[in-house]
Amino acid sequence: RNYSATVLWDQPRAFRNDPTATNTHDGVHYLTNRSITGRWVSADRFSPVQNAAWWGVINDGSTDATAALQSAADYCRISDNPNSTPGALDLSNGKILHLGGVSTNPYRINGPLVLNCNFDFSQAVVYAPVAGTNVAIWVGPNATNKLAIWNIRGKMPAVMYSGGTSYGGGIAIVVSSVASSQIEFGYMERFHTGIKFLGYNGGNTRNIYSGAFANACRHAFWLESLGSGGFCNLNQFQGFNALATVV
């Protein structure tokens, strides 16, 4: 652990001193040290897989992981590909944010976590104590980030559950303006809506594959403003009050 790091990593990582570097200290890939000039620079800053644990994301069921996960997702989004078209971000060769931990201990997300990067959360359990119309995970541009996203490759948590009773949770996942992408979904429980798809641009290819959804969700998915060219491939639904709402 470096003096200026804020996270104790579970595996050793390599750093080298760059006496000319002036990058902002982020506690992950660029570290300051008062005894020498420049920065300590990580050897894995350009790795195609970025471990969320490097940002201090832990799964103890109670610590809010939203801010740390958001920082990790932002790093994966901004550090690679240029726009494929004006107003669109192409992630076809972007970094993958990995959320590990085959464990019964969940990551707590108080949301909304905005994912505009490639990601693999398939080994994780996520507890999202959202309520009403609140969103746990948002994939694609939201109100503050309006770039359309192309070529996301994502795997959602193996299990997502909310703190609500039957129908008491909010929306597990919103997917908006995501084109030519493949996203896999897992088991969801106690949400009002499993997935809400909205704001697709017509004429773009998208393949959205679902896994098994679970008990006490009111809507399996919500379709809104898909456009003439939008389509989704979905399967394996159970235990819903209604399969879909189309707006």
Side-chain angles (χ1 to χ4, degrees):
R1 182 180 181 184
N2 181 273
Y3 291 115
S4 62
T6 57
V7 176
L8 184 62
W9 301 300
D10 58 354
Q11 298 292 330
R13 297 176 63 211
F15 287 78
R16 66 174 178 84
N17 178 55
D18 183 344
T20 64
T22 58
N23 304 78
T24 301
H25 165 82
D26 62 7
V28 180
H29 291 300
Y30 300 98
L31 311 176
T32 56
N33 193 318
R34 286 176 295 179
S35 64
I36 56 177
T37 60
R39 298 288 186 269
W40 289 103
V41 180
S42 73
D44 49 27
R45 66 194 184 283
F46 297 133
S47 171
V49 177
Q50 296 287 307
N51 190 342
W54 297 343
W55 279 262
V57 180
I58 59 175
N59 58 329
D60 60 5
S62 59
T63 301
D64 182 3
T66 312
L69 261 176
Q70 189 63 66
S71 294
D74 290 345
Y75 177 82
C76 292
R77 176 179 65 85
I78 66 175
S79 50
D80 268 324
N81 293 343
N83 290 344
S84 59
T85 59
L89 184 67
D90 183 4
L91 298 177
S92 55
N93 295 308
K95 291 180 175 65
I96 296 174
L97 175 61
H98 178 69
L99 187 65
V102 181
S103 170
T104 57
N105 292 331
Y107 296 89
R108 182 182 178 118
I109 295 178
N110 290 340
L113 172 67
V114 180
L115 296 177
N116 291 324
C117 65
N118 296 325
F119 57 90
D120 184 356
F121 294 178
S122 60
Q123 298 180 50
V125 175
V126 167
Y127 170 51
V130 296
T133 59
N134 292 340
V135 177
I137 297 177
W138 194 297
V139 183
N142 63 0
T144 59
N145 181 0
K146 298 181 180 180
L147 281 180
I149 309 296
W150 291 63
N151 298 309
I152 280 184
R153 298 295 179 266
K155 295 182 179 181
M156 283 295 173
V159 177
M160 283 186 68
Y161 66 98
S162 79
T165 57
S166 179
Y167 310 154
I171 301 171
I173 300 165
V174 171
V175 182
S176 69
S177 298
V178 173
S180 301
S181 298
Q182 294 182 8
I183 303 174
E184 297 178 6
F185 300 95
Y187 180 100
M188 300 178 199
E189 184 171 341
R190 296 199 297 271
F191 289 96
H192 180 278
T193 299
I195 308 172
K196 182 174 182 178
F197 298 104
L198 64 91
Y200 287 114
N201 295 318
N204 297 319
T205 301
R206 68 204 102 258
N207 297 295
I208 312 294
Y209 298 94
S210 73
F213 294 85
N215 299 322
C217 291
R218 183 176 294 273
H219 307 286
F221 57 97
W222 179 300
L223 306 178
E224 182 174 333
S225 303
L226 283 181
S228 60
F231 68 90
C232 304
N233 296 322
L234 298 150
N235 56 64
Q236 298 182 15
F237 302 102
Q238 63 180 16
F240 289 95
N241 180 265
L243 179 60
T245 295
V246 180
V247 178

